Amino acid sequence: MMNLRCFSVIVTVLILISTMSFAQNPLIRDQFTADPSARLFGDKVYVFPSHDILATEGKGRKDWFCMEDYHVFSSSDLTNWTDHGMIVQQNSVPWVKPDSYSMWAPDCIERNGKYYFYFPSIPKDTVNYKKGFTVGVAIADKPEGPYVTEPKPIKGVSGIDPNVFIDKDGQAYLYWSGGNIFAAKLKQNMTELDSEVKILENLPAKGLKEGPYVFERNGIYYLTYPHVENKIERLEYAIGDNPLGPFKVAGVIMDESTTGCWTNHHSIIQFKKEWYLFYHNNDFSPQFDKARSIRADYLHFNPDGSIQKVIPTLRGVGITKATDKIQIDRYSEISKEGVSISFLDSQNTFNGWKTTFNKSGGSIQYNAIDFGKKKLKSIVVKASSEKGGILQIASKGKKQTIIAEVTIPKGSNWAEIKSPLLKFESGIQDLAVISKNENQVEVDWIKFE
């Protein structure tokens, strides 16, 4: 009979597996997430997003943003993400109007071993607080919580999208939005303002601007924010030599979403010598942009400190192990014809996507796969093809090398087909999958053994 200790270990492992997401873009695959605040705490990246849910009768406002709680996620490699569960829920916060479903974009920062989680919502007391949104704080001893909320919101703050920045001299600043972008100093206790509220000027006067995120690099202070220059939000930035400005508009970080997602909201961090932009799009909900999903892509600076425009990708960031399921639909490159991407199940989009090859020569490339040093012997492809097909798998470096050829048998059902490797390439490789005939082949994932 299994002893209690052994059973406990198994249960713990199962819980970890169930809360871990093996992701490219979007990063989180089992729920809607938006407005990611990414922070480096210790040797892990923690992301504090808002949590979109779909409004139903008596639960939120139909066809509008609906958020009732917050989760926190962490990763040590930006590939595998662990959901640490809910940290704050609307009806457990003393000052929040019950069932208001207005837990919008948050932020979190560490100071003196404490973690301060800032979040906006609608207060139930409209006598002492203005109508609309204000900002509260929850405090924890660990990034994943548990968090204890302060009984009252921050006095003097009226608006949404809190962001906190601690300068090199130890002074903390709170930024938020609400028609304009506002800023004020914070006291050492991180729960009270320590200066008058300042409107950050010289920003675009026309079009909504919100979601401030401030960081410093090489003496330059970057104020970054979403702004509606045309019809939907794009990510822009301004620069200055002081956390309170004045700032000068400097450029665009990311253009408007090609899928029409009206909002964008972001954060920028450095992790293991690379810079990253975290943002969101409506990947799992292409017809409804109030249900969003967080993403990450690399961000680069020019020698003068200006930011190079980030082009959104499906591949995202991080390195994928060859022995994990490789979702080639999150591609790095795709041929102009012969390949398409669609949902596995349009009624349950969290099941992910599939890649359909329908022409000889159609190809898709997935970069940064770690094959390790130990020799791998075979490839497994989960695929289906009514008429049968042939796929070639190639590693791509200075030259393209065919490492496997997989024959997909006839049949309408999904099957896992194993084929031997013709050649083993060690280390980190880019991979291409190429169709070798005209028959349609659908692929869910590939992996190596």
Side-chain angles (χ1 to χ4, degrees):
M1 180 178 290
M2 184 186 300
N3 64 43
L4 187 60
R5 182 179 179 184
C6 183
F7 177 77
S8 176
V9 169
I10 292 173
V11 169
T12 301
V13 170
L14 289 174
I15 290 172
L16 285 172
I17 291 172
S18 68
T19 58
M20 186 169 285
S21 173
F22 301 96
Q24 298 88 40
N25 277 337
L27 300 178
I28 308 303
R29 299 296 188 91
D30 62 353
Q31 60 191 278
F32 295 117
T33 50
D35 314 314
S37 171
R39 294 293 183 182
L40 179 60
F41 296 142
D43 59 356
K44 288 184 179 181
V45 172
Y46 288 82
V47 176
F48 299 82
S50 53
H51 182 198
D52 289 337
I53 59 175
L54 301 179
T56 57
E57 188 68 32
K59 188 175 183 177
R61 174 181 161 190
K62 191 175 185 299
D63 298 328
W64 191 240
F65 299 106
C66 185
M67 298 106 113
E68 65 180 337
D69 60 28
Y70 298 100
H71 286 230
V72 59
F73 303 84
S74 72
S75 176
S76 58
D77 57 11
L78 303 186
T79 298
N80 303 308
W81 290 90
T82 298
D83 181 357
H84 296 283
M86 185 177 68
I87 56 172
V88 174
Q89 202 273 347
Q90 61 177 2
N91 292 342
S92 67
V93 182
W95 59 266
V96 170
K97 179 183 176 182
D99 299 321
S100 53
Y101 297 96
S102 55
M103 309 295 274
W104 288 14
D107 194 11
C108 188
I109 204 159
E110 182 271 338
R111 179 156 216 165
N112 298 327
K114 296 285 186 181
Y115 296 84
Y116 297 86
F117 179 73
Y118 298 81
F119 60 95
S121 196
I122 297 174
K124 55 188 175 185
D125 179 357
T126 56
V127 175
N128 292 304
Y129 307 103
K130 294 179 181 179
K131 289 185 178 181
F133 281 79
T134 186
V135 172
V137 190
I139 305 171
D141 294 323
K142 297 186 296 183
E144 59 271 26
Y147 284 84
V148 177
T149 55
E150 292 289 284
K152 295 180 180 180
I154 301 174
K155 186 178 180 180
V157 177
S158 179
I160 60 173
D161 302 339
N163 164 241
V164 181
F165 169 72
I166 301 177
D167 204 2
K168 289 175 286 188
D169 63 1
Q171 178 62 58
Y173 298 84
L174 179 68
Y175 304 84
W176 68 95
S177 62
N180 290 296
I181 293 179
F182 303 91
K185 292 181 179 180
L186 279 171
K187 290 184 178 180
Q188 284 285 329
N189 63 19
M190 301 297 284
T191 62
E192 296 176 274
L193 299 187
D194 198 25
S195 73
E196 294 294 319
V197 174
K198 177 182 176 67
I199 295 176
L200 300 184
E201 299 177 339
N202 303 323
L203 301 178
K206 180 185 175 183
L208 176 69
K209 52 189 179 291
E210 55 180 356
Y213 184 87
V214 173
F215 68 98
E216 182 271 339
R217 177 182 178 271
N218 295 340
I220 299 174
Y221 294 86
Y222 294 80
L223 167 64
T224 66
Y225 52 91
H227 172 228
V228 181
E229 172 68 20
N230 297 304
K231 294 183 178 180
I232 63 176
E233 289 183 344
R234 67 184 189 184
L235 300 180
E236 301 176 4
Y237 74 105
I239 57 174
D241 58 9
N242 185 287
L244 294 177
F247 290 97
K248 179 182 179 182
V249 174
V252 176
I253 302 172
M254 178 176 282
D255 287 328
E256 294 90 341
S257 165
T258 58
T259 66
C261 185
W262 195 88
T263 64
N264 202 349
H265 193 114
H266 68 296
S267 54
I268 295 170
I269 63 167
Q270 186 180 31
F271 176 58
K272 295 182 179 178
K273 299 183 180 180
E274 293 275 7
W275 284 86
Y276 298 92
L277 172 70
F278 288 76
Y279 61 103
H280 70 230
N281 198 33
N282 57 330
D283 293 88
F284 285 121
S285 181
Q287 306 304 319
F288 182 60
D289 66 356
K290 309 300 185 292
R292 300 153 297 177
S293 298
I294 63 171
R295 292 174 159 210
D297 274 298
Y298 295 100
L299 181 140
H300 300 285
F301 295 86
N302 294 313
D304 64 357
S306 59
I307 298 175
Q308 296 178 18
K309 188 179 290 185
V310 177
I311 307 300
T313 74
L314 296 177
R315 175 61 185 89
V317 299
I319 296 172
T320 302
K321 290 182 180 179
T323 51
D324 287 341
K325 292 177 181 177
I326 302 164
Q327 309 287 346
I328 61 172
D329 50 77
R330 307 294 87 191
Y331 58 81
S332 303
E333 296 179 24
I334 190 169
S335 59
K336 291 183 179 179
E337 56 183 8
V339 188
S340 62
I341 308 298
S342 59
F343 286 114
L344 282 163
D345 180 357
S346 60
Q347 300 303 307
N348 185 3
T349 57
F350 289 128
N351 284 344
W353 295 265
K354 62 184 176 182
T355 304
T356 301
F357 297 87
N358 53 29
K359 188 174 183 179
S360 180
S363 66
I364 205 162
Q365 183 170 320
Y366 185 104
N367 292 350
I369 298 175
D370 187 2
F371 282 81
K373 296 179 180 179
K374 187 177 179 181
K375 186 174 182 180
L376 299 173
K377 297 179 179 180
S378 59
I379 183 173
V380 179
V381 179
K382 185 176 181 181
S384 69
S385 178
E386 288 193 3
K387 296 182 179 180
I390 300 172
L391 297 176
Q392 282 189 337
I393 317 297
S395 64
K396 295 195 71 173
K398 291 182 179 179
K399 63 178 183 177
Q400 182 166 295
T401 303
I402 304 299
I403 62 172
E405 187 166 282
V406 184
T407 299
I408 311 300
K410 295 179 181 180
S412 57
N413 295 326
W414 289 100
E416 296 181 15
I417 302 103
K418 181 184 288 190
S419 295
L421 290 186
L422 305 175
K423 188 173 182 180
F424 173 70
E425 300 276 348
S426 63
I428 296 174
Q429 303 288 333
D430 298 339
L431 210 67
V433 181
I434 309 136
S435 177
K436 297 309 294 179
N437 65 15
E438 301 293 323
N439 295 344
Q440 180 170 300
V441 176
E442 295 183 335
V443 176
D444 186 356
W445 49 258
I446 67 174
K447 71 175 182 177
F448 295 84
E449 296 180 342

